[in-house]
């Protein structure tokens, strides 16, 4: 009878010991600050929706949020570098799907080379593309800059218009860009700028019951006094970039926690 074959031994990889979670309890100050609640978890696309809270939000809570933001960021302003309305208009067009930081690295060269609408309207497309390439979607943005500059020359005498309808007639200009230019360059409050930060924070703070920029803007215009429409987006953008982050808001250190319906909530 043949002998049974021996199965060769296969060496196994050494097991990595699991890291034990720290059993150190949170400080009393942190526990008191969050009312015994767990810290907020990461935000995912699937659950980016308005927090459930009374609608419309209570006026005292909205006032407290505004005052808290103003105290946190007394010097909040548009973070796109510009010297005039034309530069702001161009910078805002470039900021689509791009960070302000990146745009600010590009615009000094751009405006030094093409400082006026007339200069930019006559710019060779390939030169413009090369300057703004790092902002992404540079071919489409080049078309928008060229067409907008040409329209400014032909229709408005080289000046950036001061009405929503006129601004919306320009290439590459939507409601958000029009609100940015009117509010920041001209101090005209006809709407509220809603970018990704404003959208996210408005939902977290219970200032909207919607998820699209157009409807969020309408909600903000309803619950926030018009005299705050220009300032509000700057405050929310500052807060979104410095504390109320997309993936993990820093509720532990946020002074708005007492007025925020989504603070420390698991997501």
């Amino acid at each position: 009878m043949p002998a049974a074959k021996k199965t060769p031994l296969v060496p196994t990889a050494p097991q990595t010991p699991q890291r034990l979670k720290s059993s150190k309890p949170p400080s009393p100050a942190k526990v008191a600050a969050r009312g015994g609640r767990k810290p907020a978890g990461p935000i995912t696309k699937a659950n980016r929706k308005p927090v459930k809270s009374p609608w419309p939000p209570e006026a005292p809570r909205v006032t407290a949020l505004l005052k808290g933001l103003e105290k946190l960021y007394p010097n909040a302003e548009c973070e796109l570098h510009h010297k005039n309305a034309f530069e702001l208009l161009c910078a805002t067009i470039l900021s689509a799907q791009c960070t302000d930081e990146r745009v600010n690295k590009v615009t000094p060269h751009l405006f030094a080379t093409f400082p006026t609408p007339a200069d930019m309207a006559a710019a060779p497309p390939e030169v413009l593309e090369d300057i703004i390439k790092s902002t992404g979607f540079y071919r489409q943005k080049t078309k928008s800059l060229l067409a907008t500059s040409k329209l400014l020359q032909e229709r408005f005498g080289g000046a950036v218009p001061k009405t929503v309808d006129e601004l919306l007639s320009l290439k590459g200009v939507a409601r958000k860009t029009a609100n940015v230019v009117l509010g920041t360059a001209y101090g005209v409050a006809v709407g509220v700028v809603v970018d990704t930060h404003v959208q996210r924070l408005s939902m977290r703070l219970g200032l909207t019951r919607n998820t699209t920029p157009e409807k969020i803007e309408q909600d903000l215009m309803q619950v926030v006094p018009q005299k705050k429409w220009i300032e509000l987006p700057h405050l929310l953008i500052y807060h979104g970039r410095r504390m109320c982050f997309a993936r993990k808001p820093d509720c532990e250190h946020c002074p708005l926690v007492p007025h925020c319906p989504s603070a420390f909530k698991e997501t």
Side-chain angles (χ1 to χ4, degrees):
M1 186 173 180
K5 293 183 178 180
K6 293 183 179 180
T7 303
L9 296 176
V10 179
T12 58
Q15 297 294 317
T16 303
Q18 294 185 345
R19 183 178 296 177
L20 297 177
K21 294 184 178 180
S22 173
S23 59
K24 183 180 178 180
S27 67
K30 288 186 177 181
V31 173
R34 67 186 185 220
R37 294 174 288 178
K38 295 181 179 180
I43 301 297
T44 63
K45 289 184 178 180
N47 53 31
R48 282 182 182 166
K49 55 186 178 181
V51 66
K52 291 183 180 180
S53 61
W55 184 264
E58 304 86 345
R61 187 173 72 81
V62 175
T63 300
L65 284 171
L66 290 173
K67 288 183 177 179
L69 287 167
E70 290 170 342
K71 185 176 180 179
L72 271 176
Y73 313 107
N75 299 314
E77 60 183 3
C78 178
E79 294 191 286
L80 287 171
H81 298 167
H82 64 281
K83 297 177 182 176
N84 52 54
F86 174 64
E87 290 188 359
L88 178 60
L89 173 60
C90 294
T92 307
I93 291 174
L94 293 177
S95 70
Q97 303 297 315
C98 182
T99 65
D100 289 357
E101 182 181 8
R102 168 52 54 186
V103 173
N104 289 337
K105 291 180 180 179
V106 167
T107 49
H109 183 199
L110 176 66
F111 298 142
T113 308
F114 308 111
T116 68
D119 295 323
M120 192 166 293
E126 61 275 11
V127 174
L128 203 53
E129 287 180 359
D130 186 61
I131 294 175
I132 70 169
K133 191 170 186 177
S134 64
T135 66
F137 302 97
Y138 62 95
R139 290 191 177 91
Q140 183 57 47
K141 291 178 181 180
T142 293
K143 293 178 181 178
S144 295
L145 291 176
L146 290 172
T148 287
S149 299
K150 186 177 180 180
L151 288 173
L152 290 177
Q153 279 297 107
E154 294 176 350
R155 296 183 185 177
F156 306 106
V160 176
K162 298 182 179 180
T163 70
V164 172
D165 291 339
E166 289 175 325
L167 283 167
L168 293 179
S169 71
L170 301 174
K171 180 73 173 177
V173 176
R175 176 81 184 183
K176 170 195 161 186
T177 301
N179 283 336
V180 169
V181 173
L182 290 175
T184 300
Y186 295 134
V188 178
V190 294
V192 180
V193 175
V194 179
D195 73 346
T196 55
H197 296 289
V198 176
Q199 182 176 2
R200 182 179 75 252
L201 269 67
S202 296
M203 291 191 289
R204 281 182 178 167
L205 295 172
L207 298 178
T208 185
R209 53 191 168 175
N210 291 293
T211 58
T212 62
E214 297 79 12
K215 292 183 178 180
I216 290 174
E217 181 185 4
Q218 294 303 312
D219 283 347
L220 293 176
M221 291 168 68
Q222 177 183 340
V223 302
V224 176
Q226 186 174 4
K227 63 182 180 180
K228 300 290 186 180
W229 288 359
I230 297 174
E231 178 188 33
L232 176 65
H234 300 320
L235 294 170
L236 293 178
I237 290 170
Y238 265 55
H239 196 53
R241 288 174 176 168
R242 292 159 176 81
M243 189 168 292
C244 196
F245 308 112
R247 291 195 58 80
K248 192 172 183 181
D250 187 10
C251 299
E252 294 280 357
H253 302 99
C254 182
L256 303 182
V257 163
H259 317 295
C260 178
S262 61
F264 294 106
K265 285 190 176 180
E266 291 286 355
T267 58

